[in-house]
């Protein structure tokens, strides 16, 4: 069969543009903020060579508000399937360099597709969020598309694990989906989750509030309880995901993997005799007790900052 050379050139061009994200200038700006691009993030989190992408060339068909000239293959979202330490996962990463990672109908179709497969096959869903929320230019179409995603978040709840890593703004509609998921990880300095930004709040209420005070890591790890884990860097967040997955079954039809403990099951620990003070008015750190009872180095704490009074350096 003969191929039309023009079509092949076009296909190659689209593939190259899909890899180029929002262009070098925006990629540089993303790096300057201390953030990785969507594809760099997937490369860092997934086992090498395991990523199978879907919808890499999908583009929107919106022409309002000058959008006909703003078509990026992939539409600001990289989605598909891969492996993390040998476990199959469904995964997507929003690309802030493309229209601020804003959520579109195309993004929704891609995410819903991998979520449907994850639900059918019982594998975890991982979301890498870096988004300004509903794509304003798509109007209610974007909002209806969010509805499709939220429905799946609810259907997946209790069926397969859902893990969200917030790696930039998670603004407007971008907050609801992670909030419906099982585990939310935020990264110092770069993660912010808020429904309405500081500018709108200033306009509507006259109140001055910073991104940090509105939806920073401190607010959601220590006060609202929306976030479960806090990482110092993107790389550390990915390590947390790997560790978290190691506690879960690889598939919802299987038992968790058995690991031979290197800690002697008959180990006695004299410190337990005094680690809890005899005076019941004296405070103590329960972590010191848990650490001595469970297998060594196996305690995976979630929400360590939640409701602590003295939080510094967040
Ligand atoms: C379309 C968007 C966008 C959005 C950002 N961009 N958010 N485009 N829809 N929601 C675009 C910007 O116009 C800009 O494009 C590029 O992405 C980068 O954005 P900047 O503002 O330059 O980046 P930064 O200064 O880092 O600020 C990031 C931000 C800010 C804090 C996320 O962009 C922001 O406040 N965006 C709007 C957030 C918001 O109000 N979302 C709510 C949408 S309504 P150019 O081409 O100019 O560089 C919603 C309702 C959901 O989500 C209801 C669900 C049921």
């Amino acid at each position: 069969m003969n191929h039309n050379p023009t079509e092949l050139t076009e296909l190659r061009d689209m593939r190259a543009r899909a890899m180029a994200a929002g262009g070098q200038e925006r990629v540089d700006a993303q790096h300057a903020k201390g953030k990785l691009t969507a594809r760099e993030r997937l490369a860092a989190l997934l086992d090498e060579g395991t990523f199978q992408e879907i919808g890499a060339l999908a583009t929107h068909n919106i022409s309002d508000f000058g959008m006909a000239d703003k078509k990026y293959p992939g539409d600001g979202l990289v989605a598909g399937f891969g492996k993390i330490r040998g476990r199959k996962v469904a995964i997507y990463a929003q690309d802030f360099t493309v229209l601020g990672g804003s959520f579109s109908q195309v993004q929704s179709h891609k995410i819903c597709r991998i979520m449907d497969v994850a639900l059918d096959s019982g594998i975890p869903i991982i979301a890498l969020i870096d988004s300004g929320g509903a794509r304003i230019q798509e109007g209610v179409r974007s909002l209806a598309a969010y509805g499709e995603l939220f429905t799946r978040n609810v259907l997946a709840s209790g069926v397969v694990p859902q893990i969200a890593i917030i790696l930039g703004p998670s603004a407007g509609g971008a907050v609801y989906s992670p909030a419906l998921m099982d585990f939310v990880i935020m990264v110092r300095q770069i993660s912010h989750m808020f429904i309405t930004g500081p500018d709108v709040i200033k306009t509507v209420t006259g109140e001055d509030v910073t991104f940090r005070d509105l939806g920073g890591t401190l607010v959601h790890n220590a006060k609202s309880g929306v976030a479960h884990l806090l990482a110092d860097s993107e790389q550390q967040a990915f390590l947390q995901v790997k560790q978290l997955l190691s506690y879960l079954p690889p598939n919802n039809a299987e038992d968790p993997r058995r690991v031979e403990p290197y800690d002697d099951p008959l180990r006695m620990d004299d410190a337990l005799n005094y680690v809890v003070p005899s005076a019941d008015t004296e405070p103590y750190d329960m972590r010191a007790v848990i650490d001595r009872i469970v297998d060594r180095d196996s305690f995976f704490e979630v929400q360590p900052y939640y409701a602590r009074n003295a939080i510094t350096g967040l």
Side-chain angles (χ1 to χ4, degrees):
M1 193 167 74
N2 287 332
H3 293 286
N4 180 335
T6 318
E7 282 176 357
L8 278 180
T9 307
E10 196 181 330
L11 183 63
R12 287 193 189 110
D13 175 58
M14 282 186 86
R15 278 193 187 143
R17 287 199 291 134
M19 295 300 140
Q24 197 55 48
E25 208 174 299
R26 286 180 193 271
V27 169
D28 290 344
Q30 176 86 344
H31 288 156
K33 288 179 193 162
K35 292 162 64 182
L36 298 173
T37 64
R39 288 185 189 279
E40 287 167 347
R41 286 168 174 161
L42 292 172
L45 181 55
L46 295 170
D47 297 348
E48 202 179 338
T50 61
F51 185 52
Q52 297 288 326
E53 187 170 359
I54 63 151
L57 307 184
T59 53
H60 65 75
N61 60 359
I62 308 289
S63 53
D64 306 329
F65 308 107
M67 288 299 280
D69 300 328
K70 292 184 181 170
K71 291 194 179 188
Y72 296 84
D75 209 36
L77 183 103
V78 186
F81 305 91
K83 287 185 180 174
I84 296 179
R85 290 188 178 159
R87 294 155 176 271
K88 288 180 189 161
V89 296
I91 189 163
Y92 68 86
Q94 284 174 315
D95 184 350
F96 190 79
T97 69
V98 174
L99 301 164
S102 53
F103 188 82
S104 64
Q105 281 181 311
V106 170
Q107 288 207 3
S108 178
H109 287 150
K110 288 166 65 171
I111 297 172
C112 290
R113 174 77 188 120
I114 62 162
M115 288 182 82
D116 288 344
V117 173
L119 268 165
D120 281 348
S121 51
I123 59 174
I125 296 163
I126 299 178
L128 277 55
I129 311 281
D130 192 356
S131 170
R135 186 170 295 167
I136 303 295
Q137 297 89 335
E138 292 198 10
V140 290
R141 282 173 282 210
S142 168
L143 303 188
Y146 261 134
E148 295 292 330
L149 168 58
F150 304 157
T151 302
R152 278 159 181 86
N153 286 131
V154 174
L155 291 173
S157 180
V159 182
V160 293
Q162 301 183 79
I163 301 169
I165 320 174
I166 312 299
L167 297 165
S170 170
V175 173
Y176 300 73
S177 177
L180 289 167
M181 297 176 92
D182 301 306
F183 297 98
V184 176
I185 302 173
M186 293 183 80
V187 179
R188 272 184 223 274
Q189 311 294 344
I190 63 170
S191 307
H192 298 103
M193 299 177 84
F194 54 86
I195 289 178
T196 302
D199 289 349
V200 177
I201 290 180
K202 176 74 179 167
T203 308
V204 176
T205 69
E207 204 182 336
D208 280 311
V209 63
T210 62
F211 281 110
R212 185 173 177 267
D213 291 341
L214 187 61
T217 46
L218 166 64
V219 168
H220 291 305
N221 273 273
K223 290 186 185 165
S224 75
V226 168
H228 305 90
L229 292 164
L230 173 59
D232 287 329
S233 64
E234 297 200 21
Q235 294 296 344
Q236 195 191 8
F238 300 150
L239 280 177
Q240 288 175 341
V241 170
K242 291 176 187 184
Q243 201 186 346
L244 173 57
L245 285 175
S246 74
Y247 285 74
L248 304 173
N251 187 288
N252 69 1
E254 291 176 35
D255 289 331
R257 283 185 185 156
R258 195 179 147 71
V259 178
E260 279 310 317
Y262 56 87
D263 197 8
D264 177 6
L266 301 175
R267 162 176 63 85
M268 298 299 286
D269 196 331
D270 286 343
L272 284 170
N273 292 327
Y274 58 80
V275 69
V276 178
S278 45
D280 58 11
T281 50
E282 236 180 90
Y284 66 96
D285 189 350
M286 180 52 83
R287 289 175 189 82
V289 181
I290 295 173
D291 269 338
R292 290 177 181 283
I293 293 173
V294 299
D295 286 347
R296 268 196 216 289
D297 307 323
S298 71
F299 182 47
F300 187 78
E301 185 179 1
V302 290
Q303 293 192 316
Y305 301 97
Y306 189 54
R308 272 202 207 171
N309 291 326
I311 300 153
T312 51
L314 283 169

